[in-house]
Amino acid sequence: MKIGITCYPTYGGSGVVATELGIELAASGHEVHFITYSQPFRLTGREEGIFYHEVPVSNYPLFEFPPYSLALASRMSDVADYYKLDLLHVHYAIPHSISAYLAKQMLAKRGIHIPMVTTLHGTDITLVGADQSYLPITRFGIEESDGVTSISTYLKERTLKEFRVHKEIEVIPNFVNCDIYEPLSDEARAAGRKRFAPAGEPILVHLSNFRPVKRAPDAVLIFAEIARKMPAHLLLVGDGPDRSVAEWLAKRHNLQDRVHFLGKQNNVSELLPLADLMLMPSELESFGLASLEAMACRVPAIATNVGGVPELIEDGYNGRLCEVGNVEAMAEAALELLENPKKLDEMATAARATARTKFCAHKIIPHYEKFYADVLERAGSLSG
Ligand code: GMT
């Protein structure tokens, strides 16, 4: 199959999923064309079977707001035509499903009929789409898609209820490549941990885009509680609007030498397995990809009991679930595990087992392939 993928290519879960999907599809022999405004950050540009098409968004002085959606639609239709794509798969409903819809109409005028698939990721529905100014057009994009997938049952149900769309939505959960996201050997782990925790102290990690929904400052507050009881270190991976608040909190608690701000990192699969626990104190997560990536590395998460997270984490088995904002409870849950290595080890084993048995790329990618085949068959019978 020849598949055109569009996503937000910079740091964000939907872009990560779209990129990893493209990489896995190409590895299975498909031809993948990324149509995005910059090269997705997890691509090296050297992957076989993957092509990258930049969307040039010109900033003509008359345009106070550069028309990205239109530039994207135009690029999508050109790429689809030139490379004879079989379908367009967009990640994040706004504005990508609308651009794909426009591209489809433009192509139809040239006698080319290709279907479009939209994958809903979370904030496109829960925050952006729920904004009254975007809701009707998001609903339109969903309804006009030839196939819609959602990354959790929670998100599917919320979309059906709040958007009142009459559309089949297939749940295809987030996935992780368990051969890349995997535990390190004891030696490699010990050597990597020395960089941050020279005396062998426990390491916690938080990975996000530091948007308010992630509650990154809570990660620092949880850590401050832990650090009062035991020497430990916190790795903060990522960057975004709440980073300066998190820095301010770390300073206020006198933890500058224990809280390590690593910024945006491309080698997440090398950093995560160094940790003992992941902190994901989010206000909302439709899935919680960062926790899945940590779990695959044998690092259980202390997370919030929100959105689709319970579809990934079972409290007390492969991680812990607490109430949003309950910093004390999350610190207590972390301390209980850090003080009980046997319990932590059992939970780490369960976390890795969950990732392997339920969310491994080789289990999830065939769902996408089957979904594409069904959409193509339906589209073929409609146009033919
Ligand atoms: O969470 C973000 O800010 C990024 C956002 C995105 O779409 O880029 O993430 C969403 O998609 C991820 C991948 O499917 C999910 O794992 C996240 O749970 C989801 N975020 C939210 O629902 C807040």
Side-chain angles (χ1 to χ4, degrees):
M1 249 181 259
K2 291 184 178 187
I3 303 145
I5 294 184
T6 293
C7 62
Y8 285 109
T10 50
Y11 294 78
S14 58
V16 170
V17 171
T19 309
E20 298 286 357
L21 174 62
I23 292 171
E24 297 294 336
L25 288 169
S28 308
H30 300 284
E31 189 175 300
V32 177
H33 293 258
F34 281 95
I35 310 165
T36 48
Y37 62 75
S38 65
Q39 179 165 294
F41 75 96
R42 282 198 182 178
L43 282 188
T44 62
R46 293 187 300 275
E47 292 86 356
E48 211 173 304
I50 296 190
F51 302 85
Y52 163 59
H53 310 274
E54 187 171 317
V55 179
V57 188
S58 60
N59 210 351
Y60 186 60
L62 187 67
F63 300 150
E64 192 171 342
F65 307 103
Y68 162 66
S69 324
L70 303 184
L72 175 60
S74 176
R75 196 80 185 107
M76 279 171 162
S77 74
D78 284 350
V79 172
D81 187 356
Y82 193 94
Y83 292 92
K84 308 215 171 330
L85 299 188
D86 294 303
L87 62 78
L88 293 168
H89 184 177
V90 301
H91 292 259
Y92 213 83
I94 301 176
H96 300 153
S97 60
I98 303 304
S99 301
Y101 171 79
L102 285 176
K104 238 185 95 166
Q105 302 307 315
M106 290 164 75
L107 288 161
K109 288 272 178 211
R110 294 180 224 160
I112 302 164
H113 299 276
I114 77 165
M116 64 185 257
V117 168
T118 298
T119 290
L120 310 174
H121 280 273
T123 46
D124 46 352
I125 295 301
T126 54
L127 296 179
V128 189
D131 177 335
Q132 282 307 314
S133 54
Y134 289 116
L135 195 143
I137 200 154
T138 310
R139 182 193 292 136
F140 178 78
I142 293 170
E143 277 177 345
E144 289 301 318
S145 297
D146 299 285
V148 180
T149 77
S150 140
I151 49 120
S152 63
T153 304
Y154 157 81
L155 187 61
K156 170 184 169 169
E157 282 166 5
R158 194 157 165 189
T159 308
L160 291 175
K161 188 166 161 240
E162 286 178 21
F163 283 69
R164 280 177 273 114
V165 284
H166 304 287
K167 192 87 189 164
E168 280 284 311
I169 298 180
E170 175 115 349
V171 177
I172 307 184
N174 282 177
F175 59 89
V176 64
N177 186 322
C178 298
D179 299 327
I180 295 175
Y181 288 77
E182 60 173 356
L184 292 171
S185 68
D186 290 347
E187 272 169 21
R189 190 165 184 260
R193 283 168 69 98
K194 271 212 174 107
R195 184 179 149 207
F196 303 107
E201 304 94 332
I203 297 178
L204 296 101
V205 67
H206 169 78
L207 163 64
S208 79
N209 49 28
F210 286 63
R211 289 191 199 137
V213 71
K214 301 294 177 183
R215 295 183 73 110
D218 276 7
V220 177
L221 293 174
I222 295 163
F223 180 72
E225 290 282 317
I226 295 167
R228 284 199 306 126
K229 308 261 171 58
M230 63 160 63
H233 291 265
L234 173 64
L235 312 186
L236 289 168
V237 186
D239 211 328
D242 272 352
R243 175 166 170 173
S244 48
V245 186
E247 277 171 356
W248 179 79
L249 281 171
K251 193 159 175 247
R252 195 174 140 211
H253 288 271
N254 215 9
L255 291 168
Q256 296 100 309
D257 55 343
R258 304 225 158 241
V259 178
H260 309 267
F261 287 87
L262 304 183
K264 292 176 180 177
Q265 294 284 334
N266 282 334
N267 61 339
V268 171
S269 62
E270 290 159 32
L271 285 168
L272 289 175
L274 302 179
D276 298 288
L277 284 174
M278 158 72 119
L279 297 179
M280 192 176 72
S282 307
E283 183 87 30
L284 183 60
E285 287 291 346
S286 297
F287 184 89
L289 179 65
S291 283
L292 172 59
E293 291 181 335
M295 288 164 72
C297 298
R298 232 178 154 273
V299 178
I302 310 290
T304 40
N305 192 3
V306 289
V309 178
E311 295 172 46
L312 170 68
I313 297 174
E314 188 184 326
D315 188 29
Y317 167 62
N318 55 10
R320 290 300 315 273
L321 294 177
C322 302
E323 254 174 66
V324 175
N326 195 339
V327 165
E328 293 75 25
M330 286 185 260
E332 221 170 89
L335 278 164
E336 195 194 332
L337 290 165
L338 295 174
E339 283 163 352
N340 188 340
K342 188 169 170 279
K343 213 167 174 180
L344 178 59
D345 191 59
E346 280 168 11
M347 203 169 263
T349 302
R352 167 88 180 153
T354 302
R356 275 176 62 88
T357 54
K358 290 171 80 178
F359 302 106
C360 224
H362 66 79
K363 287 203 187 298
I364 304 297
I365 300 306
H367 285 246
Y368 275 112
E369 292 178 304
K370 164 93 173 58
F371 190 75
Y372 293 160
D374 291 348
V375 164
L376 282 169
E377 195 184 310
R378 276 201 311 269
S381 59
L382 283 179
S383 66

